[in-house]
Amino acid sequence: MKKILSPTLLAPYWLFASLSLYLIYIGFEKQNWSEALPWVTRKDFVDFASYVLGATAVFVVMRAALKFTELQTFVIFSISALIITSNTSALFTVALIFLAAISIGTLVSLRKSNSVIHLILIGIGFLGTIIGIFAHFPINYFWFYMFLLAAPIAALLYCGIDIKEIKKPLHKYLLTRANNRSPNVIAALTAAIALMHLAGALLPELGFDALAVHLFVPTQVAWSQQWGYDPTTYVWALMPMLGDWLYSISYVVGGESGTRLLNLLFLFLLAWLTRETAQWLGASKVFSDISVLILLSTPLSFAESNSLYIDSIWSTFVIAGFLSVFKMADADQGQERSSNYLLHSAFFWGCACATKAVTLVILPIAGCLILLLMITRRLQLSVQHIGLAALLFFLLACVPYVTAWAISGNPVFPFYNELFKSPFFLEWNFNNPIYNSGVQWETFYKIVFDSSKYIEGTTGASGYQWITLFPIALYAILLRRNHKQLAVLGVCILSIMAVFVSQSYLRYIFPLFALFAAVISAGLCSSKAHPDLSTPTPLIVTLLSLTIGLNLVFFCSAGWTYRNMPIELLIDEKQRKAFVELRSPLRTAVSEINRLNSANKPVALFTNSSGAAGLKADALYPSWYNHVFQSRMNAAKNSQQVSQLLSDYDAKYLVLDDLWSDEKTRERIERATVEVARIRHLVIRKAKM
């Protein structure tokens, strides 16, 4: 019989809950609601809320009527949506990439991993690393990528390797009907939100970072069949790009929709790993599902899924790396399983480093955790196992840093150039002053109610779980003294502090959103070891409902790309083109320049946007992206010098924004060029001969 918590231990739960509600009240009282609410119009929010409630009801009905699980119904709806919106090539591309990844993972699996998600990530890691190497050479054609994807699948079939361990989870989750018709509101709501993520992923790309870098690189690879690794043209050309190499293969084979769909599926893989982490921490099935609901309802997650960042890919590798380390701590591990987890961890951390340089900030925490486990748990790891793991990590992680060192003299170019003094960039340590809030005692409050200091967003961008659920989960964890949960919580807090010391930017801690969702869910779940210390169920239901409700109200607040959901664009190509021209006229201008610039000469972009994705030429940016071109443009004091600058760079065409720089600078450019076409406030101009 479940014991009732004593009043002395029960009171702090209600105290923390009251404090959470008070903080929300104070936070909202200070808001300017016309600016705080992210929706363009009230109708946009009503439509969104109606969709979520309606879709949730449909998932409940599908289980009750047909005994379809929420995942099965989601897959059916997703495939149908992709077919209806003419995105079958995107579906084919992503399916082919994942089949190739599973095949590669199976063929080269470290100690024969039986985890399908590990096989996928191993294959994806190898695939991204190989493409990054091939990107140096002009061989990245459609049929070459098709060969890269088809070869491992054919090899797996030829070798006749038993794949029943792969088939089991696929059969369990996709083919086996639900064992009852009872409604699962948590799973139904999660699936409904996941469909909204899918809708966002199928919309056209409008994100600044995506159009400037993460879609630009794949389009350049598709045009020139290689990547130039030229830091004088693009300051970010030598950064870790494993995520961009994966986007390159999906773009060349499946176009922009295939690339955006691949990004979304990595968010879903991250959600799956979050669920696994919650289960390892002791969460029940219901509470591990809640961890996924918390993650997918978080506004930052929607910002990640509706624009091509590489954070979902990076976060998936980071969480897989952390989870492998955590599982090493289990007491029942023998030498083979411990070494297996060590090798997996080394692989995933190596891929994380090759995806995003900020991994180097979090990595020492994982290293200290492994060292601590080796000392306290007396793990049965031989010197050979440790050496092999270290070698595997460095082989995967070092590729972009060695490349940057060889070309620029700075392994983390352009960062820390005051130390490395590369001639290709200014001698200063790059830092964005907007995100220098650091770590303070009220940081968790500020990331919720003062989000603009932590990301390009508004109130609520980080999600409300930091205020509503974390305090009572923390109390429950401390009360039960669960060592696993305390350790993971410590990893989360130390990692946030390590990152925020240099740049307090939410996307740099996106993996920790997943870890925190797992910790919160496990902390709220009743413990078998301490059934008398369970969190009051009414309190959990109330605060969880409040959290998800607030997260959905502020669902679009973590970015400016989509602050409504124009679903009609999915099926109306004419509206889609008009919408892109309205929101991102440079994308339309790029298409027109590609038609005019048949010689593929460099194109100068005197615009406030750097989103030249799709340009079939090099882009010349008068910004920190190309500081030499920027300084020469600033030094040009008349139209003759502007003409000489364009001639020196062999630039025949340019785009001039009516709102760029000052009027005198624009006039100098206008006198050196002639107008060819106008697209809203952008003018395509041609250099005078």
Side-chain angles (χ1 to χ4, degrees):
M1 183 175 178
K2 184 176 177 180
K3 297 180 181 179
I4 299 175
L5 204 63
S6 69
T8 304
L9 297 177
L10 182 63
Y13 278 114
W14 297 101
L15 177 63
F16 282 122
S18 301
L19 178 62
S20 296
L21 294 176
Y22 176 72
L23 289 175
I24 290 175
Y25 170 76
I26 293 298
F28 283 160
E29 189 179 41
K30 295 178 179 178
Q31 300 300 315
N32 180 345
W33 283 97
S34 63
E35 298 177 0
L37 289 175
W39 304 94
V40 177
T41 66
R42 183 178 298 178
K43 181 180 180 300
D44 291 328
F45 172 68
V46 172
D47 290 345
F48 172 77
S50 301
Y51 159 78
V52 172
L53 293 175
T56 302
V58 169
F59 281 106
V60 170
V61 169
M62 289 291 283
R63 173 183 275 267
L66 302 174
K67 293 185 74 173
F68 280 0
T69 67
E70 291 73 20
L71 178 60
Q72 290 167 345
T73 305
F74 173 77
V75 170
I76 293 170
F77 284 178
S78 298
I79 293 176
S80 301
L82 289 166
I83 293 172
I84 292 171
T85 57
S86 303
N87 283 301
T88 50
S89 62
L91 176 62
F92 167 78
T93 300
V94 172
L96 187 60
I97 289 174
F98 273 72
L99 283 174
I102 291 175
S103 300
I104 295 171
T106 303
L107 291 168
V108 301
S109 179
L110 308 175
R111 303 279 180 165
K112 299 181 179 179
S113 170
N114 291 328
S115 169
V116 173
I117 196 167
H118 277 192
L119 293 177
I120 291 173
L121 292 181
I122 290 168
I124 286 286
F126 272 110
L127 196 59
T129 302
I130 291 168
I131 295 170
I133 294 171
F134 285 141
H136 288 270
F137 311 101
I139 58 175
N140 295 268
Y141 292 90
F142 171 84
W143 289 111
F144 178 70
Y145 280 170
M146 287 296 292
F147 171 77
L148 281 182
L149 296 175
I153 300 174
L156 183 67
L157 295 174
Y158 177 79
C159 294
I161 297 175
D162 186 5
I163 57 172
K164 61 182 179 182
E165 292 298 330
I166 301 174
K167 292 180 180 178
K168 281 182 182 178
L170 296 177
H171 185 272
K172 176 182 177 182
Y173 292 111
L174 296 181
L175 299 178
T176 305
R177 296 286 187 90
N179 53 18
N180 63 69
R181 299 178 186 271
S182 301
N184 185 338
V185 177
I186 296 296
L189 182 57
T190 303
I193 294 171
L195 278 180
M196 182 54 75
H197 283 281
L198 175 65
L202 295 180
L203 292 171
E205 183 58 71
L206 299 176
F208 182 93
D209 279 19
L211 295 176
V213 182
H214 304 305
L215 186 59
F216 181 80
V217 172
T219 59
Q220 287 283 292
V221 171
W223 162 61
S224 63
Q225 289 77 54
Q226 67 180 125
W227 177 244
Y229 290 95
D230 181 5
T232 63
T233 304
Y234 312 109
V235 73
W236 38 262
L238 303 177
M239 289 182 183
M241 287 190 182
L242 189 142
D244 298 300
W245 305 139
L246 294 172
Y247 289 160
S248 294
I249 195 169
S250 60
Y251 182 85
V252 171
V253 176
E256 182 179 320
S257 295
T259 307
R260 288 172 63 82
L261 185 60
L262 180 65
N263 175 51
L264 173 66
L265 289 184
F266 268 100
L267 177 65
F268 292 161
L269 287 179
L270 178 63
W272 191 274
L273 286 171
T274 302
R275 187 175 186 274
E276 281 194 10
T277 305
Q279 289 176 333
W280 180 81
L281 288 169
S284 64
K285 181 184 182 300
V286 171
F287 279 88
S288 59
D289 289 345
I290 286 174
S291 69
V292 176
L293 176 59
I294 292 172
L295 178 67
L296 292 186
S297 69
T298 300
L300 180 60
S301 295
F302 182 63
E304 295 287 352
S305 68
N306 72 47
S307 190
L308 283 178
Y309 299 108
I310 47 89
D311 302 315
S312 293
I313 298 175
W314 170 60
S315 298
T316 302
F317 283 123
V318 170
I319 298 304
F322 267 131
L323 186 56
S324 296
V325 175
F326 297 154
K327 288 183 176 181
M328 288 173 58
D330 289 340
D332 59 346
Q333 303 298 331
Q335 181 177 12
E336 183 175 353
R337 289 182 65 84
S338 294
S339 61
N340 189 21
Y341 284 128
L342 179 64
L343 289 171
H344 282 152
S345 178
F347 183 93
F348 298 140
W349 280 110
C351 291
C353 286
T355 305
K356 202 174 182 76
V358 74
T359 311
L360 300 174
V361 178
I362 305 174
L363 186 61
I365 297 171
C368 291
L369 186 60
I370 293 174
L371 185 61
L372 184 63
L373 288 174
M374 292 175 63
I375 296 172
T376 59
R377 296 281 182 173
R378 297 182 180 179
L379 298 179
Q380 300 176 18
L381 296 172
S382 66
V383 175
Q384 289 86 348
H385 290 144
I386 297 172
L388 181 59
L391 178 63
L392 181 63
F393 167 78
F394 282 111
L395 285 176
L396 289 164
C398 73
V399 173
Y401 303 98
V402 170
T403 302
W405 181 283
I407 294 174
S408 72
N410 179 349
V412 290
F413 186 89
F415 305 109
Y416 298 103
N417 206 47
E418 189 175 349
L419 171 64
F420 292 103
K421 303 185 188 305
S422 170
F424 299 115
F425 195 56
L426 305 174
E427 291 187 8
W428 68 294
N429 295 333
F430 176 81
N431 181 279
N432 191 334
I434 299 175
Y435 307 116
N436 277 338
S437 298
V439 180
Q440 303 167 358
W441 68 272
E442 73 269 50
T443 291
F444 284 176
Y445 173 86
K446 284 190 171 183
I447 64 175
V448 176
F449 291 108
D450 204 2
S451 301
S452 61
K453 291 183 178 178
Y454 298 88
I455 199 168
E456 302 91 340
T458 51
T459 300
S462 65
Y464 285 84
Q465 61 271 18
W466 305 92
I467 301 294
T468 55
L469 297 177
F470 178 61
I472 63 168
L474 175 61
Y475 173 67
I477 292 170
L478 293 174
L479 191 64
R480 294 194 290 257
R481 298 179 184 177
N482 184 299
H483 293 161
K484 285 184 177 181
Q485 294 170 10
L486 285 170
V488 176
L489 180 61
V491 166
C492 289
I493 293 175
L494 287 174
S495 298
I496 290 176
M497 292 173 65
V499 174
F500 274 22
V501 163
S502 56
Q503 287 279 263
S504 49
Y505 189 51
L506 291 182
R507 288 204 294 112
Y508 291 173
I509 61 168
F510 188 53
L512 306 175
F513 277 71
L515 274 187
F516 258 106
V519 171
I520 288 171
S521 300
L524 296 177
C525 182
S526 60
S527 170
K528 293 180 180 178
H530 301 282
D532 56 329
L533 300 180
S534 300
T535 309
T537 301
L539 191 61
I540 295 175
V541 173
T542 302
L543 291 181
L544 180 63
S545 301
L546 177 64
T547 302
I548 303 306
L550 288 174
N551 281 359
L552 293 180
V553 169
F554 291 86
F555 195 59
C556 301
S557 63
W560 296 95
T561 304
Y562 286 105
R563 294 223 150 190
N564 60 351
M565 291 299 294
I567 304 297
E568 64 277 5
L569 302 183
L570 299 179
I571 54 177
D572 191 324
E573 187 62 27
K574 186 176 180 180
Q575 282 194 53
R576 190 182 182 98
K577 289 181 178 179
F579 181 81
V580 170
E581 181 177 326
L582 174 66
R583 292 287 306 278
S584 183
L586 185 56
R587 296 210 69 180
T588 305
V590 163
S591 299
E592 180 63 16
I593 287 174
N594 287 340
R595 186 184 67 82
L596 297 169
N597 188 26
S598 57
N600 305 119
K601 300 289 186 180
V603 177
L605 300 175
F606 301 104
T607 65
N608 293 320
S609 169
S610 300
L615 184 65
K616 296 180 180 179
D618 272 323
L620 301 173
Y621 297 111
S623 68
W624 74 282
Y625 280 15
N626 187 335
H627 75 96
V628 175
F629 184 74
Q630 179 187 35
S631 60
R632 289 196 59 185
M633 182 62 213
N634 291 340
K637 301 304 180 183
N638 53 57
S639 60
Q640 290 78 16
Q641 291 178 346
V642 172
S643 296
Q644 185 60 50
L645 175 62
L646 296 175
S647 176
D648 290 346
Y649 279 88
D650 199 20
K652 188 176 180 180
Y653 290 94
L654 60 86
V655 179
L656 180 61
D657 191 332
D658 289 343
L659 307 175
W660 180 78
S661 190
D662 57 84
E663 186 176 354
K664 289 184 178 180
T665 303
R666 293 196 300 271
E667 287 178 354
R668 286 195 290 269
I669 296 172
E670 289 170 352
R671 286 195 293 268
T673 57
V674 293
E675 181 174 334
V676 176
R678 172 176 284 275
I679 301 169
R680 295 191 176 273
H681 55 86
L682 302 182
V683 181
I684 299 174
R685 307 186 69 87
K686 184 177 180 180
K688 293 179 179 178
M689 302 302 292

